[in-house]
Structure formats: structure tokens, C-alpha cells
Amino acid sequence: AQKITQTQPGMFVQEKEAVTLDCTYDTSDQSYGLFWYKQPSSGEMIFLIYQGSYDEQNATEGRYSLNFQKARKSANLVISASQLGDSAMYFCAMGNTGGFKTIFGAGTRLFVKA
Amino acid sequence: DAGVTQSPTHLIKTRGQHVTLRCSPISGHKSVSWYQQVLGQGPQFIFQYYEKEERGRGNFPDRFSARQFPNYSSELNVNALLLGDSALYLCASSLVAGPTFNEQFFGPGTRLTVL
């Protein structure tokens, strides 16, 4: 069965510093995709970054990068130069080969301190 | 361009009632997925529809059903509501559904409260 695990219920980071949010996954599929979403208190889910299982390079999108370690089945999100607006819930998710089902982790709440 | 829209925004029902939630995908998107997000948890996959056919179903009871219309909008129906059905229901649309990456765009959600 597929599973996403986020072990950090809450994280604090000082403004302008970098922070890593952990995500491990379990799947028997060879082809899959890993996603990170941000959910502010308003509730909408905002797509941040994607990593395919066959992508050799770690994905980057602006201040977001995904540290993909396939052998360890981890897909950690790194946010550089944290901003106050980064305070939100962050969810790691995995899509299966057919793209018909996406499973989410329990989330990590990030607090950015001024 | 309009994003994914959902209606209603908020809804209060009592146990045993029926509810219908609606979702309009981004123009041109043919796939719609539904998720349930209980407070403090991550979204749980309920259904995915593509080209008006069900392509995926999560571990939800038969009280949950959905359909997709010719214009690709979708309805999620929940019968015999239970207190545990109280949640934020999220709809997401994507261009296609298949083995390659398809970014999902989420709507603002419908907050359902069951009393």
C-alpha cells in the first residue's frame, strides 16, 4: 500500500533562514510522482513543486527545492530565505502511475518568526 | 481565467440528511478529483473522474457518490450524513488524467458541518 509520512507536526524557522520539511514515502510502483502543496489558513491548496521518480535532478522552483533520495524513499522540501508569508501547512503527496489517485501526508505546520 | 470554483462555500446539515457539492474545473480541464480534509489532517482522496467516467475511488463508503457532466463540471453526493462527514471538501482539476505528471489545481473548498 502507498503511504506518505510527515513526522514533523510543527516547525519554527527564523525569517530569512532556510528550513527543511521531511517527507518519506512507501510504494511498490516504479513510476510515481511526488508533490508538495502549501495550505494557508484560508484553506486553498497551492502547488509548490513536483518530482518524478525517474527524474535524476532534484526539482527546484524559485525558493523551493525538493531533496529527492530515491533509495531512502525521501522527498524533503527545502525552503530557502523564509518569509513571513511562508507560515502555513505544508503537505507532501504522491501520485501513482495512472495518475488516478493522490495520497497526502498529515502535514507540517510551519511558523516563520520575525 | 477563472480557477476551480466550488459551491456552496459553507453548508450546515443534520445527521441523516443528504448533501450535494458542486465543482467547476478550469476551462479545458477534463479531470476532476474530490478530496475530504478533516480538520488537522491531510486531504483524503475520494474520487477521480475523467471524461465523465470514474477512474479512481478511495476508501469511502457507498454513501459517497459522484458524477461528471458533459461540460466537465462535477457533483459529489453524500447520503445519510454522519457527524464524521464534517470536513472541508476539496475539488481539484487537471488537464488530463494519465501516467504522466498532471498538476492539480484546487478549488477553495466547501466546508460541511454535520450537526
Side-chain angles (χ1 to χ4, degrees):
Chain A
Q2 295 182 316
K3 186 178 181 181
I4 293 283
T5 302
Q6 294 180 254
T7 57
Q8 306 155 314
M11 287 282 288
F12 286 86
V13 65
Q14 196 69 39
E15 191 179 13
K16 298 181 184 178
E17 292 186 349
V19 63
T20 297
L21 306 184
D22 294 341
C23 172
T24 58
Y25 62 92
D26 191 20
T27 181
S28 56
D29 287 345
Q30 296 301 310
S31 178
Y32 50 89
L34 296 156
F35 308 79
W36 278 92
Y37 288 88
K38 171 184 178 181
Q39 188 176 43
S41 55
S42 54
E44 77 271 27
M45 297 287 284
I46 302 168
F47 167 79
L48 296 178
I49 197 166
Y50 164 82
Q51 178 86 39
S53 58
Y54 291 116
D55 294 340
E56 295 185 355
Q57 300 276 0
N58 284 343
T60 59
E61 290 285 349
R63 295 188 297 112
Y64 304 106
S65 61
L66 199 153
N67 184 0
F68 181 47
Q69 297 188 41
K70 193 171 183 178
R72 297 181 59 185
K73 293 190 175 180
S74 73
N76 298 338
L77 177 70
V78 180
I79 305 175
S80 63
S82 297
Q83 302 172 356
L84 295 178
D86 293 336
S87 293
M89 282 291 290
Y90 288 81
F91 291 98
C92 180
M94 177 168 60
N96 66 355
T97 306
F100 299 136
K101 179 177 180 177
T102 302
I103 60 169
F104 285 77
T108 295
R109 182 167 293 282
L110 178 66
F111 299 92
V112 180
K113 301 181 292 184
Chain B
D1 288 342
V4 178
T5 59
Q6 293 186 243
S7 62
T9 305
H10 295 85
L11 202 52
I12 299 175
K13 292 284 189 179
T14 56
R15 283 178 295 176
Q17 285 189 313
H18 163 271
V19 68
T20 297
L21 310 181
R22 295 177 176 82
C23 171
S24 292
I26 291 172
S27 178
H29 284 195
K30 299 182 178 180
S31 176
V32 169
S33 297
W34 287 96
Y35 295 85
Q36 180 197 65
Q37 187 177 20
V38 173
L39 194 62
Q41 298 181 16
Q44 299 291 315
F45 172 78
I46 310 175
F47 289 109
Q48 184 181 51
Y49 276 77
Y50 176 64
E51 289 285 13
K52 293 155 281 183
E53 293 187 4
E54 181 184 304
R55 298 301 183 98
R57 172 186 282 258
N59 295 324
F60 280 80
D62 292 344
R63 300 185 296 109
F64 289 78
S65 64
R67 56 180 175 170
Q68 187 176 33
F69 298 99
N71 66 353
Y72 302 108
S73 67
S74 178
E75 283 184 354
L76 175 69
N77 295 283
V78 187
N79 293 322
L81 285 167
L82 303 174
L83 295 180
D85 294 332
S86 294
L88 179 68
Y89 288 84
L90 294 165
C91 172
S93 79
S94 58
L95 196 59
V96 294
T100 58
F101 165 61
N102 291 296
E103 179 181 344
Q104 293 187 81
F105 295 84
F106 283 82
T110 293
R111 174 75 61 187
L112 172 65
T113 301
V114 182
L115 302 176

